[in-house]
Amino acid sequence: MSSDSERFAEAEDGGPQPEKHCGHGRGGMGEDVKRKEDQRFITGRGNYVDDIKKPDMLHCEIVRSPHAHARIENIDKSRALDVDGVVAVLTADDLREYDLATMPTLMADTQDVLVNDKVKFQSQEVAAVIATDRYTAKDGAQKVVVDYDVLEPVVDAEASLEDDAPLIRDDIEDKEDNHCLDWETGDEEATAEAFEEADVTVTEDMLYQRLHPAPIETCGAVGDYDPGKDKLTVHMTSQAPHIHRTLFAQVSGIPEHKIRIVSPDVGGGFGNKVPIYPGYVVAAAASYVLEQPVKWVEERSENIQSTGFARDYDMTGELAATDDGEILAVRTDVLADHGAYNAVAQPSKFPAGFFNIFTGSYDIDTAYGSLTAAYTNTAPGGVAYRCSFRVTEAVYLIERMVKVLADELGMDPAEIRRKNFIQPEQFPYESSTGWNYDSGDYEGALDKALEMADYDHYREEQQRRIDEDADKLLGIGISSFTEVVGAGPGKTCDIAGVEMFDSAEIRVHPTGNATVRVGVQTQGQGHETTFAQIVAEELGMDVEDITVEHGDTDTDPYGLGTYGSRSTPVAGAAAAVASRKVREKAKAIAANELEAAEEDITWDRESGEFHVAGAPDRSVTITEIAAGAYMNHPSSEEPGLEAVNYYDPPEMTYPFGSYIVIVEVDRETGEVEFEKFVAVDDCGNRINPMIIEGQIHGGLAQGIGTAMLEHVTFDDNGNVTGGDFMNYLLPTSMEIPNFETGHTVTPSPHHPIGAKGVGESPTVGSPPAIVNAVVDAMSHAGITHVEMPMTPDTVWAKLDEAGLATDPADSISLEFEDQSSDTTADD
Amino acid sequence: MTNTREITLTVNGTEHTIDVEPRQLLVHAIREELDMTGTHIGCDTGNCGACTVLKDGEPIKSCLMFATQADGSELMTVEGMEDLPEARGDLHPLQEGFREEHGLQCGYCTPGMLMSGKALLDENPDPSEEEIREAISGNLCRCTGYQNIVRSIEYAAEELEEVAAADGGTTVASGTDTSSADAPSAFDSEFDCGVENCCGGPTTDRNHDADTGGEHK
Ligand code: FES
Ligand code: FES
């Protein structure tokens, strides 16, 4: 599968067609180039927002509400202003003067920058203290006295939709309930019919719990207004600097050319740094008003408690099938918690994101999905945490349901997948919910994963343990997911109205090296290396001779940013197309240098040189051409050697893969241990395998966090009980096993270099594989589902329900009864 | 809150005398008073390890200590790694390992990881995978899934061994010689356990006898 021979031929016009490529030793496509960005990070020279220090810089501390639902009766700033070093205390009243009291969310809801009237979630931003240093700002914040009239909160989506639930959004005219939106997809009637006629139907309720992306660097900004130039620079932790500039202009009324957003080194994003948060606005506004730089950096608890959470989809899944396992229809109903504002971060025409890709990797004729979203007294969100807009929830639903169906029918979960996969010859494939899958070979990936996992052996071992009543059960989980990534096209996908294209600009310098600027931004994905590799490949340059810049709206071409695995599919395509534009011009220069006709000049990918057709020794390198472009340019051309491309993808790309997880479940403690973790991914043509593998590892670790540990929880009073790293548990080196990765290569036919994007596949694909594995360990005893996070007590409760638990309670109670005895569990 | 105290910190071999508020956290003193921003902050509960530095050879979370508590101590941060003898004027083998084995993505956890890795290798030059995983278990990484970080530290262990072998069997690494409390150090500091939440004692403690193979209990 992975041979280069399968790659596509070069398109005549150099247009967006996959090209064939292979390593030429110059650091082009497919080579494990060591990352260019590493040098500064391993030597402590990274430059993250909190590292920025400016003369006269002030610090901002935000006063947050301890209550989840409360009306603000009074804010007394006086004691805070008395603190030596406190420069200003801002409240909504102050911001209102500048028309900055509210800001639009990405879904065009209106969120308070600082609470105008009523607090809607715990830790909401109430006031901001600006002071000469970090500690003084905190002193000041402690002295802001806020009188609250505490209201009854509702933090549960189901409860919030009940008639007697307290009204959260009384700021919306005529609003009488906490209903946020309804959405549906597919053919309800046809699906109902299919369910009536089917031999078998299965149904399962499952909660995709509230998560937080929790990058290790929190969000922050340095607002830096320069009154001399009348220009506002905001250094901020932004995954989408250009769109943030546009939003800043819209919110503040400052003309867009007077705003510069710089996203410096960013310590992980994962969707958390796509939205605009009040802290950014306050830091920028304070700098504008005070004419001094103002830094705001949130603490971890502020990050988890107030910035964009992810998931929180309470789903019911149903499948209708024939007796021999052919899936006829899928149906789902979702209750979504959107928090206090509709602030999901996704294309505005997709209120449920790309959730309607819930038919997954399977050829299913009929589907219907419905969704209701509710407001609750919790932080706003529903961001795409390492996820292309709810595809994670969709994949979880379908991959879990396939396992439920397999168990119902007594079929092998690998077999039932094989039976229902969309076949390679069916591509391009249009799904029953309207998605146009570009390419795939799902069985190829599954077969490879089964082989790597030694599947048959573990099935036998599983049975042996059941037969021998072993202490530890074995479970084997499969997930054969399909992702949809790379939004646009612009005609269907937008962020705040701006079409989702992306861009790259290439400048080849007179001495033969190049600067590439891209509209996307990296938070660890390695763009400075992979984009250089694309250009190296397409121009025959050495990767060492290319510098990639990003994250500065003053210098980079406009782009929509990095999320939804869209950098390679969209900006990567732009880099390839811009390179080909340069290559076209280079041909004219080569003709001039070689004194030949332009039509006779060909470019040889292998050597990276331009030569006269039929005379390979009459050739020039890109270095020579660069010199020619500036020192001896042909009269038919403008001097210089540059190109820019704004790429609007014709379609999205559909990476896929099969993950197999083998776990041991301890019947006494409910603990789950990973025995084997196999991940086979297909992201089309591969740019840098080392970086891809790194992305897979990281995403799988996040998938394990999701499945085993992470959950943002609340108590009935609306207090966040999982709001810091003591209580919101990120997996450590002790919980994450070693992964075995493999790949197949099925290029995207519509992408210029046949690449599909990969960053999110592992986070999307792994949670159902892990849950399927744990369920699989108990499915012989009738267990069909275990909710995430699968902590030992959750798993033990299921073991107990299935009569599989060996009861530690017995030994514990014995210990209590007889303190003197040295009782431990039977072993 | 202007009452301050004068403290002396020796960071990466250079002595600094600064005035700090008694409440100032060590991590803020390093980052904001000394302008060494390689040491990061990732949490407010002492869980993430992004702020890990070596204090008198021992890895500590510099967000869990006031600067005044570190008065008179020798600190090492990521900025000092290239000056260590085993870096031989270039990158330290640990830094090289992280690049070679793709042990970092966003780089935010990396300085802390390097410090925990350094403390481990100083104490235990030939750690098992399990020992490496344990040594970095107080450092969260959201990007890499840890596997490549483990490989990076293994790479460094091998490199350091080669460096030592090339030097005729005597180690140049600061404190890799666990059997002697007088091992030569980059900054001539005294050596101690080097493993967080361990005994905190010097490497000559009975638990750290070379015979135990660097086992920590
Ligand atoms: S900053 Fe997280 S442990 Fe110190
Ligand atoms: S590399 Fe990003 S947190 Fe470790």
Side-chain angles (χ1 to χ4, degrees), chain A residues 1-2 443-453 678 680 742-744:
Chain A
M1 271 314 299
S2 57
E443 204 166 337
L446 177 61
D447 285 345
K448 185 155 190 172
L450 291 170
E451 194 190 313
M452 284 172 67
V678 171
V680 173
H743 67 276
T744 58

Side-chain angles (χ1 to χ4, degrees), chain A residues 34-35 39 42 48 50-51 53 134-135 139 212-213 300-301 385 694 698 710 731 733 736 738-739, chain B residues 23 25 28 31-32 35 42 44 95 99-100 102 105-108 129 133 137 142-147:
Chain A
K34 302 296 174 217
R35 296 201 327 166
Q39 181 72 17
I42 55 182
Y48 302 90
D50 200 12
D51 301 341
K53 198 171 181 177
R134 199 186 283 273
Y135 286 72
D139 288 340
H212 197 283
R300 172 59 53 194
S301 45
Y385 163 34
E710 298 177 31
S733 53
I736 303 299
N738 283 319
F739 304 111
Chain B
R23 63 176 176 171
L25 297 175
H28 286 140
R31 289 177 49 81
E32 288 166 17
D35 287 333
D44 42 18
Q95 295 172 307
R99 183 170 64 191
E100 288 301 312
H102 190 26
Q105 289 180 26
C106 77
Y108 202 77
E129 173 174 345
R133 284 188 176 268
S137 62
R142 193 56 152 169
C143 300
T144 64
Y146 304 105
Q147 188 165 337

Side-chain angles (χ1 to χ4, degrees), chain A residues 709-724:
Chain A
L709 295 165
E710 298 177 31
H711 194 179
V712 182
T713 48
F714 298 86
D715 69 13
D716 289 344
N717 294 321
N719 297 308
V720 189
T721 49
D724 56 37

Side-chain angles (χ1 to χ4, degrees), chain A residues 71-84:
Chain A
R71 209 165 288 283
I72 294 185
E73 302 201 312
N74 187 46
I75 301 177
D76 178 4
K77 310 171 176 182
S78 58
R79 288 179 56 213
L81 286 166
D82 285 346
V83 174
D84 212 15

Side-chain angles (χ1 to χ4, degrees), chain A residues 21 47-48 60 85 213 443 477 523 554 592 675 739 742:
Chain A
H21 55 72
N47 183 35
Y48 302 90
C60 168
E443 204 166 337
Q523 312 106 44
D554 262 11
N592 192 40
E675 174 81 17
F739 304 111

